[in-house]
Amino acid sequence: MKLPAGVSTKDFNAAMAAFRRIVGEQWVFTREEDVALYRDAYSPLWDEADELVASAAVAPETVEQVQAVVRAANQHKIPLFAISTGKNLGYGGSAPNLSGSVIVDLKRMNKVIEVDDKRNFCIVEPGVSYFDLYRYIQERKLKVMMDIPDPGWGSPLGNALDHGVGYTWGEFRDHFGAHCGMEVVLPDGEVMRTGMAAVPGAKTWGENKYGYGPYVDGLFAQSNFGIVTKMGFWMMPEPEHFLSCQVSVPRYRDIVPLVDIVNYLEDQGLIGNPRYSSPLDLMTLMMEPERVQADQALLDMFARPGGASAEEFENYARSRGLEYWRVLLNFYGPKETVYANWTYAKKKLAGIDGVKFEEVESYALPLDEATRKKVHHQVAVGIPNMSIFSIGARSRVVPDPQDGHIWLGSIISRSGEELIKAHQVFGKAVQDLGITPAIVGPFTAPAYWVHRTFIFMVPFFVSRSDKARNAKVREQYVKLVELAAQHGWTEYRTGPAFQDVVAKTYSFNDNALLKFRTRLKDAIDPNGIIAPGRGGIWPKRFRGKT
Ligand code: EUG
């Protein structure tokens, strides 16, 4: 077992005894086979001396138990690392930033406290998954729709706290932005509520975000200033109709006017997440194996040393009767207005030479059981599922699958010109670094989950057996982070192994932002108990020692 740096076996055992008194014997896990379940299944450090691993786990059932655990951890100086459902694959799984930390597993705190389908909010505990909340809503036939990310096993609270995103309107698919009021156990064990939740007797926890005074909620995301035990979220009323339509354009540079017009539609509130893709894009080929297939000529272009040019991809597409870019526009609302908006969208887009329009899906909501099964892109209609895990799975484009992946997600401007720049910069880097498959090129479609910017997503595939590959992947990942930062880009999120590197790219004025966060950390968590290192924020006790 790996103890946290500077913690003696005696102190550790005393803490375990205290935890057992608080939560009961059966909810403290110290056996190797139990603790192994908290390893990051996609760790880029798998089985290496530096793999980030926990020493033990404790699973409280109530806020009072969380408070008592935090107080005991202070007494014995034990670092804690809280997880909700603990998935977060590609971003560290359930593993801590600091090896030897004790996982505070909140899965037993799985109450849906409230869902209101007239005022359209919910309040949930950390252990509630998207599947759980969906079931709760369906069983009660509530008229609200969740905004969900791709993997349905995650937690709305946990996803929001890692700045996760979904598919509907901008204000809902920014999951942290959609949250409204929280309850947090602070590093000294005190419990605090924010926004209107701080007002005893207020009925507006899930409705008014700010209450009065400085807004502190942001401190609890991608960070280590407390353990969040409840969160409110604004929800979308279940729309009467869902209409999903595809726009296709034939040429590489058509992305420039396409993005401008789609931005205009989005910023007026006419569409949800525009889902850009391409039949030439490796990610698209992995995500939609049932819809697009790669023939050998395309696979050869991906594999060609030096990469193929945009012109060659364009010629290939033309010869196969394929478009270069596609974007799926999703309309939510009354049937009359969604069709009117689609008509308007077609009018705005008609000027792109060769543009094609296709209605893909159109459903009255709520869906009946038979229709629910037919839905092509379920997450866009708020139906949680796990189909995204086709990424990296064995297929024609991935004949030699690895064991997991980590995500690089650089924030770039929401413009076609900037995307083309990113193709050039990342495409060259991927070729220079010998990254295979060369997942990035002039075929890379922009991703627009994060409201108002693109994210340039790059998966890096890691192995459970090939340590040399993982070492190379880690080096390549860091190089791309630094390269991105040189262009004013950089990551919206990353796993613990890279949080120091990413935090340091937000470096204006000698890292003033990180310094400020570190000063706060020392003030409110003097013993350095809560998730040391998360977000690049290290408490004094561990600073410079990891
Ligand atoms: C995906 C989306 C993400 C993310 C990692 C993966 C899905 C890829 C924007 O959020 O962080 C298709």
Side-chain angles (χ1 to χ4, degrees), residues 444-522:
T444 302
Y448 181 50
W449 293 281
V450 169
H451 197 22
R452 298 227 171 209
T453 51
F454 284 147
I455 325 180
F456 197 86
M457 298 298 302
V458 186
F460 286 75
F461 295 98
V462 295
S463 167
R464 290 240 178 137
S465 52
D466 186 347
K467 294 191 176 73
R469 164 188 263 273
N470 294 347
K472 206 159 83 185
V473 162
R474 297 195 302 270
E475 195 184 308
Q476 292 165 341
Y477 187 99
V478 171
K479 283 206 169 122
L480 283 205
V481 171
E482 287 165 352
L483 178 69
Q486 284 163 22
H487 291 83
W489 303 330
T490 187
E491 312 323 300
Y492 93 103
R493 178 180 186 182
T494 193
F498 307 102
Q499 287 174 7
D500 286 332
V501 172
V502 167
K504 282 177 187 146
T505 61
Y506 289 80
S507 61
F508 169 77
N509 190 19
D510 196 18
N511 298 297
L513 183 59
L514 185 57
K515 285 182 187 165
F516 179 70
R517 289 167 176 164
T518 304
R519 276 157 64 198
L520 288 176
K521 180 68 176 168
D522 288 342

Side-chain angles (χ1 to χ4, degrees), residues 91 150 165 283 287 388 391 407 449 455 457 492-493:
Y91 294 111
D150 277 295
V165 286
M283 284 281 283
M287 284 160 68
I388 197 70
I391 290 180
W407 288 106
W449 293 281
I455 325 180
M457 298 298 302
Y492 93 103
R493 178 180 186 182

Side-chain angles (χ1 to χ4, degrees), residues 379-399:
V379 281
V381 212
I383 306 169
N385 67 85
M386 297 291 284
S387 70
I388 197 70
F389 283 91
S390 63
I391 290 180
R394 190 184 304 278
S395 70
R396 236 173 109 71
V397 294
V398 189

Side-chain angles (χ1 to χ4, degrees), residues 264-485:
Y264 184 66
L265 298 175
E266 156 90 16
D267 292 352
Q268 292 182 88
L270 304 184
I271 53 170
N273 172 47
R275 191 190 190 206
Y276 291 94
S277 62
S278 168
L280 313 171
D281 180 347
L282 264 169
M283 284 281 283
T284 305
L285 293 165
M286 288 194 268
M287 284 160 68
E288 303 183 56
E290 74 290 357
R291 244 163 74 91
V292 280
Q293 269 101 42
D295 64 21
Q296 193 56 45
L298 183 60
L299 297 178
D300 291 346
M301 284 164 74
F302 291 138
R304 181 165 346 136
S309 68
E311 199 181 0
E312 289 168 274
F313 280 107
E314 206 172 88
N315 290 336
Y316 167 86
R318 191 177 307 112
S319 72
R320 300 296 191 280
L322 294 169
E323 63 277 18
Y324 203 109
W325 304 110
R326 308 183 306 203
V327 60
L328 208 54
L329 305 182
N330 291 338
F331 302 89
Y332 303 88
K335 190 168 183 187
E336 296 89 326
T337 63
V338 297
Y339 274 97
N341 285 334
W342 172 224
T343 301
Y344 171 80
K346 284 188 280 193
K347 191 173 82 183
K348 297 307 280 187
L349 290 156
I352 302 176
D353 191 26
V355 67
K356 288 197 181 121
F357 302 114
E358 180 196 346
E359 183 178 309
V360 180
E361 299 193 278
S362 175
Y363 303 116
L365 305 181
L367 298 170
D368 58 47
E369 194 51 38
T371 317
R372 200 193 329 268
K373 294 210 171 87
K374 265 194 351 211
V375 174
H376 159 63
H377 193 218
Q378 294 188 316
V379 281
V381 212
I383 306 169
N385 67 85
M386 297 291 284
S387 70
I388 197 70
F389 283 91
S390 63
I391 290 180
R394 190 184 304 278
S395 70
R396 236 173 109 71
V397 294
V398 189
D400 180 25
Q402 300 299 315
D403 300 311
H405 52 260
I406 56 174
W407 288 106
L408 185 92
S410 297
I411 294 177
I412 69 170
S413 307
R414 193 180 45 157
S415 104
E417 293 292 359
E418 194 76 344
L419 180 75
I420 289 169
K421 180 87 193 288
H423 287 161
Q424 289 160 357
V425 171
F426 287 118
K428 177 170 187 313
V430 157
Q431 293 291 341
D432 290 351
L433 294 169
I435 293 172
T436 48
I439 189 81
V440 172
F443 50 80
T444 302
Y448 181 50
W449 293 281
V450 169
H451 197 22
R452 298 227 171 209
T453 51
F454 284 147
I455 325 180
F456 197 86
M457 298 298 302
V458 186
F460 286 75
F461 295 98
V462 295
S463 167
R464 290 240 178 137
S465 52
D466 186 347
K467 294 191 176 73
R469 164 188 263 273
N470 294 347
K472 206 159 83 185
V473 162
R474 297 195 302 270
E475 195 184 308
Q476 292 165 341
Y477 187 99
V478 171
K479 283 206 169 122
L480 283 205
V481 171
E482 287 165 352
L483 178 69

